[in-house]
């Protein structure tokens, strides 16, 4: 009786092998099923990290006019005293003169324009490629390089904000210098209320993007490394699976031929 109950409680070797094969089968088929999504994620991650170098924003996949105007993703609007309208979009700056045809500002190209302002006949556009300005002659030139988030005017002064610094110009945008206004105000606020905390969400994002290890400018190294490894493991896994299936097929064919001759 005792021997029987022990035998009943002990898993049979055949059952263990069968369970192991089932697990291997699920593992193999799920790996194959997810290989394509992982390959897509790996390749697109590398493309996103190098979008500027590869010029992916300039590769059109739809015809002109498809999905407009929502496809432009409007960011800012400005109408000047002479009636000219400016539309800052994710894909550049569009200018529309009175009674004229809307035209893209070629100097800025397809880069995002986030904010617009005007002072004394000069128009300013803030975007990913810097702060741009156009005088009464309509000629656009770069007033300040860098990633500029906003531009505003206060009397004769022009202010431009980047992620790290507030900049000021008192000569119509010809030159800019760092302004202490934001540092003083935010330092004063932090002294009373404290600075924003470094949250778990921020840590997770910095770990995910590699910014914690390489900084913002070099986080592409992390993205490239992870993307390349995932791509290699996915493709090599498919190759290994295919070779194993081929060996099984050859072994099965060999066994069948041996049984037939036997």
């Amino acid at each position: 009786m005792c021997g029987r109950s022990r035998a009943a409680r002990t898993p049979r070797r055949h059952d263990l092998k069968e369970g192991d094969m089932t697990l291997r089968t699920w593992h193999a088929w799920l790996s194959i099923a997810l290989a394509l999504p992982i390959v897509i994620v790996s390749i697109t991650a590398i493309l996103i990290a190098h979008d500027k170098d590869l010029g992916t924003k300039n590769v059109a996949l739809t015809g002109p006019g498809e999905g407009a105007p929502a496809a432009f993703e409007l960011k800012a609007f400005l109408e000047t005293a002479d009636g000219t309208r400016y539309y800052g979009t994710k894909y550049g700056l569009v200018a529309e003169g009175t009674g004229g045809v809307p035209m893209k500002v070629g100097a800025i190209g397809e880069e995002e324009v986030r904010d617009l302002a005007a002072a004394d006949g000069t128009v300013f556009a803030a975007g990913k490629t810097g702060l741009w300005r156009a005088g009464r002659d309509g000629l656009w030139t770069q007033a300040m390089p860098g990633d500029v988030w906003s531009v505003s005017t206060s009397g004769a002064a022009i202010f431009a904000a980047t992620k790290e610094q507030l900049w000021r110009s008192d000569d119509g945008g010809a030159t800019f210098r760092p302004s202490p206004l934001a540092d003083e105000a935010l330092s004063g606020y932090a002294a009373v209320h404290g600075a924003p905390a470094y949250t778990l969400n921020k840590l997770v994002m910095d770990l995910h993007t590699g910014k914690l290890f390489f900084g913002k400018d070099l986080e592409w190294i992390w993205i490239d490394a992870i993307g390349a490894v995932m791509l290699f493991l996915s493709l090599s896994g498919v190759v290994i699976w295919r070779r194993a299936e081929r060996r099984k097929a050859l072994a099965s064919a060999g066994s069948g031929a041996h049984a037939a001759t036997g």
Side-chain angles (χ1 to χ4, degrees):
M1 180 86 109
C2 183
R4 284 183 192 168
S5 74
R6 186 181 296 115
R9 290 195 303 267
T10 304
R12 297 178 181 177
R13 184 175 298 178
H14 175 72
D15 294 338
L16 287 173
K17 187 176 181 181
E18 212 173 64
D20 185 53
M21 288 303 295
T22 301
L23 184 62
R24 287 174 181 271
T25 301
W26 274 102
H27 176 80
W29 282 108
L30 283 175
S31 299
I32 296 301
L34 293 175
L36 181 59
I38 291 174
V39 168
I40 292 173
V41 170
S42 304
I43 295 175
T44 52
I46 295 173
L47 291 176
I48 291 171
H50 299 278
D51 60 340
K52 291 183 179 179
D53 297 327
L54 298 175
T56 54
K57 290 183 179 180
N58 299 323
V59 180
L61 300 180
T62 59
E66 293 185 27
F72 283 96
E73 297 186 31
L74 184 66
K75 302 289 183 180
F77 170 76
L78 174 70
E79 183 172 7
T80 57
D82 63 0
T84 303
R85 299 188 180 102
Y86 295 92
Y87 305 87
T89 77
K90 186 176 178 64
Y91 302 99
L93 179 63
V94 176
E96 179 186 18
T98 53
V101 179
M103 298 291 290
K104 182 73 71 70
V105 175
I108 299 177
E110 299 293 317
E111 296 298 331
E112 181 179 11
V113 173
R114 303 187 181 107
D115 199 13
L116 297 164
D120 296 328
T122 302
V123 178
F124 296 90
K128 293 195 71 173
T129 57
L131 181 67
W132 296 79
R133 67 170 185 161
R136 299 183 188 279
D137 57 1
L139 181 64
W140 285 89
T141 57
Q142 190 182 52
M144 187 176 72
D147 193 356
V148 183
W149 286 88
S150 69
V151 59
S152 61
T153 61
S154 178
I158 300 161
F159 292 92
T162 64
K163 189 175 180 180
E164 299 82 13
Q165 182 71 55
L166 179 66
W167 300 82
R168 174 174 180 152
S169 173
D170 293 302
D171 54 9
T175 59
F176 281 84
R177 68 181 189 279
S179 170
L181 293 178
D183 288 343
E184 292 172 356
L186 297 178
S187 296
Y189 177 88
V192 178
H193 303 283
Y198 187 76
T199 63
L200 177 60
N201 177 264
K202 179 66 174 173
L203 174 62
V204 170
M205 287 300 299
D206 289 347
L207 284 169
H208 179 74
T209 60
K211 181 180 177 181
L212 185 69
F213 308 110
F214 299 98
K216 181 66 176 176
D217 294 336
L218 295 177
E219 65 183 14
W220 61 267
I221 297 175
W222 175 265
I223 298 172
D224 281 8
I226 299 300
V229 170
M230 289 176 63
L231 183 61
F232 171 77
L233 292 177
S234 300
L235 295 179
S236 60
V238 173
V239 172
I240 292 171
W241 172 80
R242 183 61 185 155
R243 288 176 178 174
E245 291 295 309
R246 188 177 301 169
R247 283 195 298 268
K248 288 180 185 178
L250 291 175
S252 178
S255 300
H258 180 73
T261 57

